[in-house]
Amino acid sequence: MANKKLVYFVSLSSNVPYVLKEAVKNAEQGNEITIFFDLDGARVLDKRYLKIMERTHHIDLAYLMKRAMDLGIVFFGCQMNVLIADGLELVDGAQLAGVATFLETAYQADAVLSY
């Protein structure tokens, strides 16, 4: 079976732990994975949010993100989220992108999964 190009579109931060675990599993099978974080989902790309999640929910998102990036998973945050009132301290390895980047990536993908 040929490797697939999968795009995950995450708009809810509460879905991120599940998406990261699923994306890691798919990347370990040789699939090419890109994750776009938009709306509430983009909050997880903020270093301050990761610390809050670990403290309040006992979820080590920083570890999951590092594992994902080590497997070559690409993280994009919506560039409009830089308009968040207190700014965004982007996690290392994540990039900001706009709708054109999302559409280009999505058109080349075998599947786009929305969470």
Side-chain angles (χ1 to χ4, degrees), residues 57-93:
H57 291 83
H58 308 291
I59 297 171
D60 192 350
L61 284 179
Y63 169 78
L64 287 173
M65 290 178 137
K66 181 173 179 351
R67 175 78 177 117
M69 288 184 201
D70 287 348
L71 287 167
I73 295 174
V74 178
F75 286 23
F76 286 113
C78 176
Q79 67 187 16
M80 293 303 291
N81 286 301
V82 299
L83 301 177
I84 294 171
D86 55 353
L88 190 66
E89 289 183 34
L90 204 60
V91 297
D92 296 335

Side-chain angles (χ1 to χ4, degrees), residues 34-73:
T34 303
I35 304 176
F36 281 86
F37 298 87
D38 193 17
L39 305 170
D40 177 62
R43 293 186 324 152
V44 303
L45 295 179
D46 190 322
K47 291 177 183 178
R48 295 164 294 186
Y49 181 79
L50 293 181
K51 291 175 187 171
I52 291 168
M53 286 299 289
E54 186 172 357
R55 188 174 57 246
T56 60
H57 291 83
H58 308 291
I59 297 171
D60 192 350
L61 284 179
Y63 169 78
L64 287 173
M65 290 178 137
K66 181 173 179 351
R67 175 78 177 117
M69 288 184 201
D70 287 348
L71 287 167
I73 295 174

Side-chain angles (χ1 to χ4, degrees), residues 99-115:
V99 69
T101 301
F102 171 73
L103 290 174
E104 180 181 334
T105 305
Y107 289 147
Q108 295 173 9
D110 294 299
V112 177
L113 308 158
S114 181
Y115 294 88

Side-chain angles (χ1 to χ4, degrees), residues 4-54:
K4 304 262 185 204
K5 288 185 179 184
L6 304 174
V7 175
Y8 291 85
F9 185 84
V10 185
S11 59
L12 290 174
S13 59
S14 59
N15 290 332
V16 170
Y18 170 78
V19 170
L20 288 175
K21 290 174 186 173
E22 186 69 22
V24 163
K25 186 171 102 176
N26 277 312
E28 288 173 338
Q29 295 172 358
N31 295 304
E32 184 180 320
I33 310 294
T34 303
I35 304 176
F36 281 86
F37 298 87
D38 193 17
L39 305 170
D40 177 62
R43 293 186 324 152
V44 303
L45 295 179
D46 190 322
K47 291 177 183 178
R48 295 164 294 186
Y49 181 79
L50 293 181
K51 291 175 187 171
I52 291 168
M53 286 299 289
E54 186 172 357

